[in-house]
Amino acid sequence: MSTTTPPAKPTVRDLYDAMSYGPAPEGDAPVREWIARHHGRFGHYINGAWVTGSEHVEVLEPATGKPLAAMAQGTAADVDAAVAAARAALPAWQALDDHARARWLYAIARGVQKHARAFSVLETLDNGKPIRETRDIDIPLVARHFYHHAGWAQLLSSEFPGYHAYGVVGQVIPWNFPLLMLAWKVAPALAAGNTVVLKPAEYTPLTAIRFAELLHDIGLPKGVFNLVTGDGSTGAALVQHEDVDKIAFTGSTEVGRAIRVATAGTGKGLSLELGGKSPFIVFEDADLDSVVEGVVDAIWFNQGQVCCAGSRLLVQEGVADALYAKLRERMERLRVGSPLDKSVDMGAIVAPVQLDRIRQLCQQGIDEGASCWQPTWAQPTDGWFHPPTLFTNVAPSATIAQVEIFGPVLVSMTFRTPEEAVALANNTPFGLAASVWSENINLALDIAPKLRCGVVWVNSTNLFDASVGFGGYRESGFGREGGREGMWEYLKPARAHEAAPLPVIDATLPGAPDAREDAPDMPAIDRTAKMFIGGKQARPDSGYSMTVRALDGRVVGEVGEGSRKDIRNAVEAAHAASGWAKMSGHQRAQILYYLAENLSARSEEFAARIVSMTGDEIGAGHSEVDATISRLFTYAAWADKHDGAVHDVPLRGVALAMHEPIGVVGVACPDPYPLLGLVSLIAPLIATGNRVVAIPSVRFPLSGTDLYSVLETSDVPAGVINIVTGPRESLVSTLSQHDDVDAVWYFGTQAGAVTVEKASAANLKRTWTEWTGREWLDPRVGEGREFLRKAVQVKNIWIPYGE
């Protein structure tokens, strides 16, 4: 008789704890059959037809490392053909009424929905991201963008009066969200009436090719959408093409800089959505279990290959150890494997070169003294996979804390106070997104505006919608995608298509007249106008002055010749005046009204000065002064009225679109209308909370220097407005190169615009350059919302609510 005790029956809890996921692969046969029908080789889509490329390049499947298909390598000739097709299609596409274009975008949205599963599987095969993400996030958002922009197409004339499509738009998209990035760019471009030439990423062209097939099937007019595949050389040919009117690029900061330089002075529109190193800030009162799931979505979503990934975990010191323990436990349960398996959390890295970069940066983090932790389980050996990784004990200056890794790597630092959290969060050159986690909504909304980034998620992360603008500050680029903000990126004022009326001023000054025979017995008392820096008049560092002559050659005064050091001092003074941005719009309005009041009291004096320089009739001088006073009233009126918006988003919550000042803005003023031109540019900037370093008219600077005494008596805080006289081109070059200048407005020559835009690439500051001139007396082109939009950057703050 056996005495062996029978094993105890497992309890429900035992069975639950032991339960493991079995494979749940998504069927990929229909998609692979589609590839096979094309013999695995795909060409370009140009002018409504498929064009076989002269060369083809293999496209590999990240999960297996095996060839998936072959794409055509685009040449300069292919780009020429695509741009020519887009140009030829432009008149008819723009001639359609709003409703007709809306119908086309609606048809695209419906087509994406009908083929959603095929797009999802193809995206997963091509990119390596899990099918759950492509099926449940990417493709639904693609359809959402085309639906949303069908609405903007319908409302174009009523909501954007006086604006016009750019024309032919070149678009270059990345490999991390291939079809979604296509939708972000193509939908608003078509809705605005542009035609498109798209260059997808060389690693992931297949969903763009399938999208082109969809457009062909629904009958989109020939040439409205064109697709040229290839590597970086193809993209460069598109960017440099003389017949492209605007470039929209998403990708690395390094390439963004190169594009900024390549397009400098061409007049092309440019929007850049670049890299990031987004902070994920956790305060000690946060729900740590929710935080853990937020971290999973922030950094291990799409294997961390997300420009706005929450790759820097900033956690308050008191809860750091508890959070790290929970994170490690959760990381042990993450599943990495075939992206077609619906039960995996992470798929494959897109390409071997990207995997090598991730590994190298991880090793560098270890070499620099950080502690690295990875789960104990093994990952697939076929394909390109990397485990979720957590670094602790990371110094803020460490390479892995500053450089975008673009992989499933989380670096963590601790802080003690909210002020320290903000300092750490802003301690990179990027400014794309951030997450703030706290049960104290007052704290969260206090922190959000202090973060120098374009998107902030409160108690959430990686939320996107077509109604909400997305884009960055600083070296994360400029421009927005989505919502009304995104539509503005594909429109420009209709007047830009017409010759601009402006007084023509001969660039060559006449020589000085002969000395007067009836010279006075005693010389006049000399008065050389100084600089205006930090609220005080200051002598130029150079020690030199410049003679100011009227158009007939008469000497009417002298001004200081500004130098690099004067610009440096002015920028420092502007930064010291940061409290201006914290003042209410009402307070700023009162100061602008006061400026107008004090200028009005001296209108005769300012009109006479204008006439003495320009030689105009006194009536012209009075007209300019009166228009200047009116312009100050305009921006005083707008100071407390240029509001943001509350976006309707598909969650229990809101997205607040806040208008924020850009910061310190350099302004190079035009020569015509020396007083009005200066005030027309600085008034919208200070009305919206910016601080200004202005270079007044070079030909007629005395109106700017006379303004000093008005500023001194009008309660304008020191450093808010700084004026440096001197040679415009050299001074604006210094401003454009200055890393502490956030934007430059330049109204001068085309050669000067080239200098400004090339120099701005160093820190990717925003620029606004014009060389065709404006009729500044005309309020339709000399003031208004166009200036206000240029003077602010939009921050979207997502705030979920409810239990």
Side-chain angles (χ1 to χ4, degrees):
M1 182 176 179
S2 174
T3 58
T4 305
T5 304
K9 283 189 176 183
T11 65
V12 172
R13 179 55 185 262
D14 293 334
L15 293 172
Y16 179 82
D17 289 342
M19 185 170 60
S20 61
Y21 291 100
E26 178 75 33
D28 60 346
V31 171
R32 293 189 187 275
E33 288 170 6
W34 173 79
I35 295 173
R37 284 200 305 274
H38 291 82
H39 307 292
R41 294 171 68 83
F42 296 93
H44 314 297
Y45 184 70
I46 298 174
N47 200 31
W50 291 98
V51 177
T52 303
S54 56
E55 295 182 26
H56 283 74
V57 179
E58 277 189 334
V59 177
L60 304 178
E61 184 177 348
T64 64
K66 297 176 180 178
L68 182 63
M71 69 168 184
Q73 170 58 42
T75 64
D78 296 322
V79 172
D80 286 343
V83 172
R87 179 64 62 190
L90 187 62
W93 182 247
Q94 291 190 333
L96 294 178
D97 63 25
D98 293 348
H99 176 65
R101 278 198 299 273
R103 288 279 291 270
W104 282 115
L105 271 86
Y106 180 82
I108 295 170
R110 294 289 291 138
V112 169
Q113 284 186 317
K114 284 191 286 188
H115 300 282
R117 188 52 58 93
F119 275 120
S120 300
V121 174
L122 182 59
E123 192 85 313
T124 289
L125 289 175
D126 201 15
N127 171 272
K129 63 172 61 180
I131 186 66
R132 288 190 298 117
E133 294 177 10
T134 59
R135 181 194 64 197
D136 300 340
I137 299 174
D138 290 22
I139 307 308
L141 271 175
V142 170
R144 162 73 172 141
H145 271 267
F146 281 102
Y147 276 126
H148 180 81
H149 286 92
W152 281 126
Q154 181 77 24
L155 302 173
L156 189 69
S157 297
S158 61
E159 290 300 306
F160 301 94
Y163 280 78
H164 193 286
Y166 265 96
V168 174
V169 176
Q171 300 179 326
V172 182
I173 59 174
W175 45 258
N176 56 339
F177 291 91
L179 193 61
L180 183 55
M181 292 295 101
L182 177 152
W184 280 21
K185 287 179 167 52
V186 172
L190 297 186
N194 300 279
T195 54
V196 169
V197 179
L198 180 86
K199 205 291 284 187
E202 59 190 287
Y203 298 142
T204 55
L206 297 184
T207 46
I209 292 169
R210 180 67 185 87
F211 178 81
E213 277 194 359
L214 170 64
L215 300 189
H216 187 85
D217 291 343
I218 66 175
L220 187 74
K222 295 178 179 180
V224 171
F225 174 86
N226 304 272
L227 176 73
V228 181
T229 58
D231 60 16
S233 64
T234 310
L238 180 58
V239 167
Q240 295 166 5
H241 202 287
E242 292 183 356
D243 207 24
V244 171
D245 301 301
K246 175 190 164 61
I247 294 294
F249 172 78
T250 296
S252 72
T253 298
E254 292 73 21
V255 176
R257 284 197 183 94
I259 292 173
R260 170 72 284 180
V261 171
T263 59
T266 62
K268 292 179 182 178
L270 179 63
S271 52
L272 300 173
E273 196 265 281
L274 307 175
K277 193 72 177 176
S278 300
F280 189 104
I281 307 170
V282 181
F283 288 96
E284 59 189 2
D285 67 338
D287 176 356
L288 295 187
D289 291 326
S290 296
V291 166
V292 169
E293 296 309 310
V295 169
V296 171
D297 290 339
I299 187 59
W300 296 310
F301 169 64
N302 196 15
Q303 299 76 251
Q305 299 170 134
V306 183
C307 53
C308 57
S311 56
R312 289 188 298 143
L313 175 61
L314 310 180
V315 54
Q316 200 155 17
E317 201 171 77
V319 295
D321 289 342
L323 179 58
Y324 295 156
K326 288 177 177 287
L327 274 174
R328 293 185 181 107
E329 181 183 354
R330 183 67 174 89
M331 291 167 70
E332 284 286 5
R333 298 199 305 273
L334 291 174
R335 302 186 73 237
V336 176
S338 168
L340 285 171
D341 187 337
K342 292 187 283 288
S343 64
V344 303
D345 299 293
M346 288 171 51
I349 304 299
V350 71
V353 63
Q354 181 63 20
L355 181 59
D356 288 344
R357 171 179 166 79
I358 295 168
R359 289 171 173 167
Q360 289 168 7
L361 285 168
C362 285
Q363 185 59 51
Q364 188 167 353
I366 294 169
D367 293 343
E368 292 179 1
S371 301
C372 178
W373 191 92
Q374 293 175 336
T376 58
W377 39 258
Q379 62 183 11
T381 54
D382 294 332
W384 309 308
F385 294 88
H386 193 281
T389 302
L390 171 64
F391 276 97
T392 54
N393 300 319
V394 179
S397 60
T399 302
I400 58 173
Q402 293 291 321
V403 171
E404 185 178 36
I405 299 174
F406 224 63
V409 181
L410 178 65
V411 301
S412 183
M413 291 161 276
T414 61
F415 64 87
R416 293 181 179 178
T417 66
E419 293 74 19
E420 188 180 354
V422 171
L424 281 171
N426 291 334
N427 185 39
T428 76
F430 300 108
L432 191 51
S435 292
V436 179
W437 292 75
S438 172
E439 291 298 290
N440 183 345
I441 192 65
N442 291 327
L443 174 62
L445 293 182
D446 177 56
I447 295 296
K450 297 176 181 177
L451 302 176
R452 298 188 65 187
C453 59
V455 181
V456 178
W457 295 292
V458 175
N459 292 332
S460 55
T461 192
N462 278 342
L463 298 176
F464 309 99
D465 187 63
S467 67
V468 182
F470 180 87
Y473 292 5
R474 302 190 290 171
E475 293 188 25
S476 289
F478 44 79
R480 293 293 182 267
E481 296 185 286
R484 187 185 290 267
E485 302 109 281
M487 282 294 294
W488 285 118
E489 300 297 332
Y490 290 93
L491 295 163
K492 62 180 180 179
R495 60 170 177 75
H497 297 270
E498 305 165 0
L502 81 161
V504 177
I505 297 177
D506 187 358
T508 304
L509 281 168
D514 294 335
R516 286 171 40 196
E517 293 181 1
D518 55 341
D521 295 334
M522 290 189 298
I525 297 174
D526 178 72
R527 181 179 182 275
T528 300
K530 303 180 180 68
M531 312 292 174
F532 188 68
I533 296 174
K536 299 177 182 179
Q537 297 188 39
R539 286 185 171 83
D541 178 73
S542 68
Y544 291 96
S545 61
M546 298 170 54
T547 300
V548 180
R549 297 180 184 276
L551 286 181
D552 61 5
R554 289 178 299 106
V555 175
V556 293
E558 290 185 288
V559 296
E561 184 174 333
S563 67
R564 177 179 294 271
K565 187 175 180 183
D566 297 311
I567 292 292
R568 184 199 71 184
N569 294 341
V571 172
E572 288 178 355
H575 272 281
S578 59
W580 179 251
K582 299 181 178 70
M583 293 176 66
S584 69
H586 173 71
Q587 289 174 300
R588 291 195 293 268
Q590 297 308 297
I591 291 172
L592 282 161
Y593 281 129
Y594 197 19
L595 263 173
E597 178 185 329
N598 288 333
L599 179 60
S600 176
R602 296 171 57 186
S603 59
E604 292 289 341
E605 173 190 342
F606 275 85
R609 175 68 89 179
I610 291 168
V611 170
S612 73
M613 293 185 293
T614 63
D616 287 336
E617 298 293 331
I618 189 65
H622 281 299
S623 295
E624 183 171 342
V625 174
D626 290 344
T628 302
I629 294 167
S630 174
R631 201 128 299 165
L632 287 166
F633 262 69
T634 293
Y635 291 111
W638 274 115
D640 60 355
K641 299 177 186 67
H642 188 50
D643 302 320
V646 179
H647 293 307
D648 180 17
V649 293
L651 55 74
R652 288 189 305 164
V654 295
L656 304 180
M658 296 177 57
H659 288 161
E660 293 191 335
I662 297 169
V664 174
V665 180
V667 175
C669 300
D671 281 332
Y673 303 113
L675 178 64
L676 180 60
L678 172 67
V679 170
S680 294
L681 294 176
I682 66 175
L685 286 164
I686 65 172
T688 50
N690 298 280
R691 291 90 68 203
V692 173
V693 177
I695 304 165
S697 165
V698 178
R699 292 291 304 279
F700 311 126
L702 296 178
S703 289
T705 60
D706 288 349
L707 194 63
Y708 300 171
S709 56
V710 178
L711 298 174
E712 289 171 326
T713 58
S714 301
D715 295 340
V716 178
V720 170
I721 299 175
N722 305 274
I723 300 177
V724 179
T725 54
R728 177 175 54 211
E729 307 311 322
S730 64
L731 292 177
V732 80
S733 176
T734 301
L735 275 172
S736 301
Q737 294 169 21
H738 202 301
D739 282 345
D740 278 343
V741 173
D742 302 295
V744 173
W745 291 7
Y746 174 86
F747 288 71
T749 66
Q750 186 173 10
V754 172
T755 298
V756 168
E757 292 177 352
K758 283 186 175 180
S760 73
N763 72 339
L764 287 169
K765 58 174 62 70
R766 295 163 185 253
T767 61
W768 184 15
T769 61
E770 284 191 8
W771 56 87
T772 54
R774 292 182 181 232
E775 177 49 78
W776 292 99
L777 283 172
D778 185 349
R780 292 174 298 177
V781 297
E783 68 179 25
R785 290 180 182 270
E786 179 185 9
F787 293 82
L788 293 165
R789 280 196 307 275
K790 299 284 189 181
V792 299
Q793 47 196 354
V794 180
K795 173 178 286 179
N796 281 284
I797 303 176
W798 291 69
I799 309 170
Y801 53 69
E803 293 295 330

